[in-house]
Amino acid sequence: MTTLRERKTYRKAVLQSLYGAVERNRPEVSGATLRDELNLPDEDLSAACAYLAGEGLITVDWTSHKTPAMVSLTHEGIRFMEEEEESDAPPQGA
């Protein structure tokens, strides 16, 4: 069983990967690509995607095996990531 810290790390990694894909004009990412890029087991990727979809941050097309087939950020997910990016930026004039 994964720890809470690991689950949060996986969710953040999924969001960051999808946000990077949007910046490269790739609004959808296959679940296999995401799994390979993040080096996550199917169970952990599925759990992260299910959580983020429940929060309205991503949309997921699921396979018949309950693993992500295609994943994309929602408008709310993009806004969330933009807010994260702004909060991580150094103050102006620093």
Side-chain angles (χ1 to χ4, degrees), residues 20-49:
V22 167
E23 289 178 334
R24 294 184 305 274
N25 273 341
R26 290 179 35 220
E28 289 188 322
V29 177
S30 76
T33 299
L34 201 54
R35 182 191 64 230
D36 293 345
E37 182 180 310
L38 301 176
N39 197 28
L40 289 178
D42 283 333
E43 303 82 30
D44 292 329
L45 178 61
S46 295
C49 287

mmCIF file of all heavy atoms in Angstrom, residues 20-49:
data_model
loop_
_atom_site.group_PDB
_atom_site.id
_atom_site.type_symbol
_atom_site.label_atom_id
_atom_site.label_comp_id
_atom_site.label_asym_id
_atom_site.label_seq_id
_atom_site.Cartn_x
_atom_site.Cartn_y
_atom_site.Cartn_z
ATOM 1 N N GLY A 20 2.771 20.131 -18.786
ATOM 2 C CA GLY A 20 3.851 20.233 -19.761
ATOM 3 C C GLY A 20 3.380 19.849 -21.148
ATOM 4 O O GLY A 20 3.771 20.464 -22.142
ATOM 5 N N ALA A 21 2.531 18.844 -21.232
ATOM 6 C CA ALA A 21 1.999 18.414 -22.534
ATOM 7 C C ALA A 21 1.129 19.506 -23.147
ATOM 8 O O ALA A 21 1.193 19.755 -24.359
ATOM 9 C CB ALA A 21 1.200 17.126 -22.374
ATOM 10 N N VAL A 22 0.331 20.178 -22.327
ATOM 11 C CA VAL A 22 -0.512 21.281 -22.825
ATOM 12 C C VAL A 22 0.373 22.393 -23.367
ATOM 13 O O VAL A 22 0.089 22.962 -24.430
ATOM 14 C CB VAL A 22 -1.449 21.808 -21.712
ATOM 15 C CG1 VAL A 22 -2.073 23.133 -22.101
ATOM 16 C CG2 VAL A 22 -2.525 20.786 -21.396
ATOM 17 N N GLU A 23 1.463 22.694 -22.675
ATOM 18 C CA GLU A 23 2.382 23.739 -23.138
ATOM 19 C C GLU A 23 3.025 23.377 -24.469
ATOM 20 O O GLU A 23 3.421 24.248 -25.223
ATOM 21 C CB GLU A 23 3.462 23.992 -22.078
ATOM 22 C CG GLU A 23 2.925 24.683 -20.845
ATOM 23 C CD GLU A 23 3.979 24.900 -19.784
ATOM 24 O OE1 GLU A 23 4.980 24.143 -19.730
ATOM 25 O OE2 GLU A 23 3.806 25.829 -18.985
ATOM 26 N N ARG A 24 3.119 22.064 -24.757
ATOM 27 C CA ARG A 24 3.687 21.607 -26.029
ATOM 28 C C ARG A 24 2.592 21.306 -27.058
ATOM 29 O O ARG A 24 2.845 20.604 -28.035
ATOM 30 C CB ARG A 24 4.543 20.353 -25.803
ATOM 31 C CG ARG A 24 5.792 20.613 -24.971
ATOM 32 C CD ARG A 24 6.690 19.379 -24.840
ATOM 33 N NE ARG A 24 6.030 18.194 -24.327
ATOM 34 C CZ ARG A 24 5.861 17.897 -23.035
ATOM 35 N NH1 ARG A 24 6.299 18.732 -22.110
ATOM 36 N NH2 ARG A 24 5.274 16.794 -22.664
ATOM 37 N N ASN A 25 1.376 21.807 -26.818
ATOM 38 C CA ASN A 25 0.234 21.596 -27.717
ATOM 39 C C ASN A 25 -0.152 20.131 -27.854
ATOM 40 O O ASN A 25 -0.555 19.694 -28.928
ATOM 41 C CB ASN A 25 0.496 22.200 -29.103
ATOM 42 C CG ASN A 25 0.105 23.643 -29.156
ATOM 43 O OD1 ASN A 25 -0.655 24.118 -28.315
ATOM 44 N ND2 ASN A 25 0.615 24.347 -30.132
ATOM 45 N N ARG A 26 -0.013 19.391 -26.786
ATOM 46 C CA ARG A 26 -0.476 18.004 -26.741
ATOM 47 C C ARG A 26 -1.529 17.913 -25.642
ATOM 48 O O ARG A 26 -1.235 17.524 -24.511
ATOM 49 C CB ARG A 26 0.683 17.051 -26.430
ATOM 50 C CG ARG A 26 1.680 16.900 -27.541
ATOM 51 C CD ARG A 26 2.834 15.962 -27.188
ATOM 52 N NE ARG A 26 2.464 14.842 -26.336
ATOM 53 C CZ ARG A 26 3.213 14.388 -25.336
ATOM 54 N NH1 ARG A 26 4.354 14.963 -25.024
ATOM 55 N NH2 ARG A 26 2.831 13.360 -24.625
ATOM 56 N N PRO A 27 -2.767 18.281 -25.976
ATOM 57 C CA PRO A 27 -3.777 18.356 -24.915
ATOM 58 C C PRO A 27 -4.159 17.013 -24.303
ATOM 59 O O PRO A 27 -4.637 16.964 -23.189
ATOM 60 C CB PRO A 27 -4.978 18.991 -25.599
ATOM 61 C CG PRO A 27 -4.772 18.759 -27.057
ATOM 62 C CD PRO A 27 -3.287 18.681 -27.269
ATOM 63 N N GLU A 28 -3.929 15.912 -25.035
ATOM 64 C CA GLU A 28 -4.222 14.591 -24.492
ATOM 65 C C GLU A 28 -2.950 13.740 -24.487
ATOM 66 O O GLU A 28 -2.136 13.836 -25.395
ATOM 67 C CB GLU A 28 -5.279 13.873 -25.326
ATOM 68 C CG GLU A 28 -6.665 14.451 -25.190
ATOM 69 C CD GLU A 28 -7.684 13.576 -25.889
ATOM 70 O OE1 GLU A 28 -7.385 13.024 -26.961
ATOM 71 O OE2 GLU A 28 -8.787 13.455 -25.341
ATOM 72 N N VAL A 29 -2.829 12.942 -23.458
ATOM 73 C CA VAL A 29 -1.673 12.060 -23.319
ATOM 74 C C VAL A 29 -2.207 10.649 -23.081
ATOM 75 O O VAL A 29 -3.137 10.456 -22.294
ATOM 76 C CB VAL A 29 -0.773 12.500 -22.140
ATOM 77 C CG1 VAL A 29 0.382 11.544 -21.938
ATOM 78 C CG2 VAL A 29 -0.276 13.919 -22.352
ATOM 79 N N SER A 30 -1.625 9.682 -23.751
ATOM 80 C CA SER A 30 -2.072 8.304 -23.523
ATOM 81 C C SER A 30 -1.648 7.853 -22.131
ATOM 82 O O SER A 30 -0.630 8.299 -21.597
ATOM 83 C CB SER A 30 -1.493 7.363 -24.586
ATOM 84 O OG SER A 30 -0.138 7.098 -24.338
ATOM 85 N N GLY A 31 -2.438 6.978 -21.562
ATOM 86 C CA GLY A 31 -2.109 6.440 -20.248
ATOM 87 C C GLY A 31 -0.775 5.716 -20.259
ATOM 88 O O GLY A 31 -0.005 5.811 -19.316
ATOM 89 N N ALA A 32 -0.487 5.007 -21.361
ATOM 90 C CA ALA A 32 0.789 4.278 -21.468
ATOM 91 C C ALA A 32 1.966 5.244 -21.468
ATOM 92 O O ALA A 32 2.980 5.002 -20.806
ATOM 93 C CB ALA A 32 0.800 3.422 -22.729
ATOM 94 N N THR A 33 1.827 6.353 -22.200
ATOM 95 C CA THR A 33 2.896 7.356 -22.228
ATOM 96 C C THR A 33 3.111 7.947 -20.843
ATOM 97 O O THR A 33 4.248 8.089 -20.375
ATOM 98 C CB THR A 33 2.563 8.468 -23.241
ATOM 99 O OG1 THR A 33 2.460 7.891 -24.542
ATOM 100 C CG2 THR A 33 3.601 9.567 -23.237
ATOM 101 N N LEU A 34 2.023 8.275 -20.184
ATOM 102 C CA LEU A 34 2.097 8.850 -18.842
ATOM 103 C C LEU A 34 2.746 7.852 -17.874
ATOM 104 O O LEU A 34 3.638 8.208 -17.103
ATOM 105 C CB LEU A 34 0.684 9.211 -18.384
ATOM 106 C CG LEU A 34 0.484 10.221 -17.295
ATOM 107 C CD1 LEU A 34 1.195 11.532 -17.599
ATOM 108 C CD2 LEU A 34 -0.998 10.476 -17.089
ATOM 109 N N ARG A 35 2.322 6.610 -17.934
ATOM 110 C CA ARG A 35 2.877 5.568 -17.060
ATOM 111 C C ARG A 35 4.383 5.418 -17.287
ATOM 112 O O ARG A 35 5.162 5.366 -16.340
ATOM 113 C CB ARG A 35 2.167 4.246 -17.318
ATOM 114 C CG ARG A 35 2.650 3.121 -16.414
ATOM 115 C CD ARG A 35 2.130 1.763 -16.846
ATOM 116 N NE ARG A 35 2.663 1.450 -18.171
ATOM 117 C CZ ARG A 35 1.919 1.047 -19.208
ATOM 118 N NH1 ARG A 35 0.625 0.898 -19.090
ATOM 119 N NH2 ARG A 35 2.486 0.785 -20.375
ATOM 120 N N ASP A 36 4.787 5.378 -18.562
ATOM 121 C CA ASP A 36 6.205 5.203 -18.871
ATOM 122 C C ASP A 36 7.024 6.431 -18.485
ATOM 123 O O ASP A 36 8.121 6.315 -17.954
ATOM 124 C CB ASP A 36 6.389 4.898 -20.355
ATOM 125 C CG ASP A 36 5.815 3.533 -20.753
ATOM 126 O OD1 ASP A 36 5.530 2.715 -19.851
ATOM 127 O OD2 ASP A 36 5.627 3.316 -21.964
ATOM 128 N N GLU A 37 6.481 7.613 -18.762
ATOM 129 C CA GLU A 37 7.192 8.856 -18.439
ATOM 130 C C GLU A 37 7.408 9.002 -16.940
ATOM 131 O O GLU A 37 8.460 9.437 -16.492
ATOM 132 C CB GLU A 37 6.386 10.047 -18.975
ATOM 133 C CG GLU A 37 7.033 11.388 -18.761
ATOM 134 C CD GLU A 37 6.183 12.519 -19.318
ATOM 135 O OE1 GLU A 37 5.758 12.439 -20.482
ATOM 136 O OE2 GLU A 37 5.937 13.479 -18.567
ATOM 137 N N LEU A 38 6.401 8.632 -16.159
ATOM 138 C CA LEU A 38 6.475 8.798 -14.710
ATOM 139 C C LEU A 38 6.973 7.557 -13.993
ATOM 140 O O LEU A 38 7.200 7.588 -12.786
ATOM 141 C CB LEU A 38 5.096 9.191 -14.166
ATOM 142 C CG LEU A 38 4.516 10.487 -14.743
ATOM 143 C CD1 LEU A 38 3.112 10.710 -14.212
ATOM 144 C CD2 LEU A 38 5.412 11.671 -14.441
ATOM 145 N N ASN A 39 7.106 6.451 -14.748
ATOM 146 C CA ASN A 39 7.567 5.188 -14.184
ATOM 147 C C ASN A 39 6.698 4.759 -12.996
ATOM 148 O O ASN A 39 7.211 4.430 -11.915
ATOM 149 C CB ASN A 39 9.043 5.282 -13.789
ATOM 150 C CG ASN A 39 9.665 3.924 -13.582
ATOM 151 O OD1 ASN A 39 9.235 2.943 -14.189
ATOM 152 N ND2 ASN A 39 10.667 3.854 -12.722
ATOM 153 N N LEU A 40 5.377 4.777 -13.222
ATOM 154 C CA LEU A 40 4.435 4.387 -12.176
ATOM 155 C C LEU A 40 3.771 3.059 -12.521
ATOM 156 O O LEU A 40 3.437 2.822 -13.678
ATOM 157 C CB LEU A 40 3.322 5.434 -12.038
ATOM 158 C CG LEU A 40 3.663 6.773 -11.440
ATOM 159 C CD1 LEU A 40 2.443 7.682 -11.445
ATOM 160 C CD2 LEU A 40 4.164 6.594 -10.020
ATOM 161 N N PRO A 41 3.532 2.220 -11.517
ATOM 162 C CA PRO A 41 2.732 1.020 -11.751
ATOM 163 C C PRO A 41 1.297 1.417 -12.148
ATOM 164 O O PRO A 41 0.808 2.474 -11.756
ATOM 165 C CB PRO A 41 2.740 0.302 -10.402
ATOM 166 C CG PRO A 41 3.866 0.905 -9.631
ATOM 167 C CD PRO A 41 4.033 2.298 -10.153
ATOM 168 N N ASP A 42 0.634 0.540 -12.905
ATOM 169 C CA ASP A 42 -0.734 0.823 -13.343
ATOM 170 C C ASP A 42 -1.660 1.182 -12.184
ATOM 171 O O ASP A 42 -2.475 2.105 -12.298
ATOM 172 C CB ASP A 42 -1.325 -0.371 -14.104
ATOM 173 C CG ASP A 42 -0.806 -0.483 -15.518
ATOM 174 O OD1 ASP A 42 -0.423 0.553 -16.104
ATOM 175 O OD2 ASP A 42 -0.795 -1.612 -16.052
ATOM 176 N N GLU A 43 -1.536 0.468 -11.069
ATOM 177 C CA GLU A 43 -2.433 0.703 -9.934
ATOM 178 C C GLU A 43 -2.267 2.118 -9.379
ATOM 179 O O GLU A 43 -3.250 2.790 -9.055
ATOM 180 C CB GLU A 43 -2.191 -0.312 -8.807
ATOM 181 C CG GLU A 43 -2.319 -1.758 -9.211
ATOM 182 C CD GLU A 43 -1.056 -2.310 -9.866
ATOM 183 O OE1 GLU A 43 0.068 -1.862 -9.556
ATOM 184 O OE2 GLU A 43 -1.205 -3.203 -10.710
ATOM 185 N N ASP A 44 -1.031 2.565 -9.256
ATOM 186 C CA ASP A 44 -0.786 3.894 -8.704
ATOM 187 C C ASP A 44 -1.200 4.988 -9.683
ATOM 188 O O ASP A 44 -1.761 6.009 -9.274
ATOM 189 C CB ASP A 44 0.687 4.049 -8.321
ATOM 190 C CG ASP A 44 1.071 3.160 -7.149
ATOM 191 O OD1 ASP A 44 0.210 2.891 -6.288
ATOM 192 O OD2 ASP A 44 2.239 2.732 -7.109
ATOM 193 N N LEU A 45 -0.943 4.777 -10.971
ATOM 194 C CA LEU A 45 -1.378 5.752 -11.967
ATOM 195 C C LEU A 45 -2.894 5.833 -12.002
ATOM 196 O O LEU A 45 -3.465 6.927 -12.029
ATOM 197 C CB LEU A 45 -0.833 5.390 -13.350
ATOM 198 C CG LEU A 45 -1.269 6.316 -14.490
ATOM 199 C CD1 LEU A 45 -0.797 7.743 -14.251
ATOM 200 C CD2 LEU A 45 -0.765 5.782 -15.819
ATOM 201 N N SER A 46 -3.564 4.686 -11.968
ATOM 202 C CA SER A 46 -5.025 4.663 -11.980
ATOM 203 C C SER A 46 -5.604 5.374 -10.763
ATOM 204 O O SER A 46 -6.558 6.148 -10.883
ATOM 205 C CB SER A 46 -5.543 3.220 -12.037
ATOM 206 O OG SER A 46 -5.186 2.616 -13.253
ATOM 207 N N ALA A 47 -5.012 5.131 -9.600
ATOM 208 C CA ALA A 47 -5.490 5.769 -8.373
ATOM 209 C C ALA A 47 -5.299 7.282 -8.438
ATOM 210 O O ALA A 47 -6.190 8.047 -8.062
ATOM 211 C CB ALA A 47 -4.769 5.189 -7.158
ATOM 212 N N ALA A 48 -4.133 7.722 -8.924
ATOM 213 C CA ALA A 48 -3.868 9.165 -9.039
ATOM 214 C C ALA A 48 -4.849 9.805 -10.013
ATOM 215 O O ALA A 48 -5.413 10.866 -9.733
ATOM 216 C CB ALA A 48 -2.427 9.405 -9.490
ATOM 217 N N CYS A 49 -5.068 9.157 -11.148
ATOM 218 C CA CYS A 49 -5.984 9.707 -12.151
ATOM 219 C C CYS A 49 -7.425 9.736 -11.641
ATOM 220 O O CYS A 49 -8.152 10.706 -11.873
ATOM 221 C CB CYS A 49 -5.894 8.917 -13.454
ATOM 222 S SG CYS A 49 -4.373 9.221 -14.375
#
